[in-house]
Amino acid sequence: MPDSTTGSCCSHNAVAVEGRKDLLARSADQCAECPVMVGSTVVKADAEAAGLFRDYNGERYYFCCAGCGPAFDADPTKYVTATA
């Protein structure tokens, strides 16, 4: 085994050693960015299971924590336009 951890289970690369796909990596369609805490990546399934989402104008928005939902509710337009 090489000395490098590139592509190992401990790395954060989406492609494993010798070009094999890392099956633990999440695809882009499984994740979203929290509109309140921009830069925070949210796993959609986890957010839905925890109730950390809102539907607004036909779109679903996912949140990184319980505090982001009420902030979004107070002024959704502010957050929707910021992520557009």
Side-chain angles (χ1 to χ4, degrees), residues 27-52:
S27 65
D29 63 331
Q30 294 175 315
C31 296
E33 182 178 43
C34 177
V36 178
M37 295 296 292
V38 177
S40 296
T41 302
V42 179
V43 177
K44 293 177 182 180
D46 293 346
E48 285 191 9
L52 299 174

Side-chain angles (χ1 to χ4, degrees), residues 8-78:
S8 75
C9 65
C10 298
S11 73
H12 298 286
N13 296 332
V15 178
V17 176
E18 300 171 14
R20 292 176 295 194
K21 184 172 177 63
D22 181 351
L23 299 178
L24 298 176
R26 302 227 186 246
S27 65
D29 63 331
Q30 294 175 315
C31 296
E33 182 178 43
C34 177
V36 178
M37 295 296 292
V38 177
S40 296
T41 302
V42 179
V43 177
K44 293 177 182 180
D46 293 346
E48 285 191 9
L52 299 174
F53 67 92
R54 298 290 191 276
D55 293 324
Y56 180 75
N57 285 344
E59 293 286 327
R60 179 156 285 184
Y61 297 91
Y62 301 90
F63 306 114
C64 62
C65 68
C68 291
F72 183 87
D73 293 340
D75 192 359
T77 305
K78 171 184 173 182

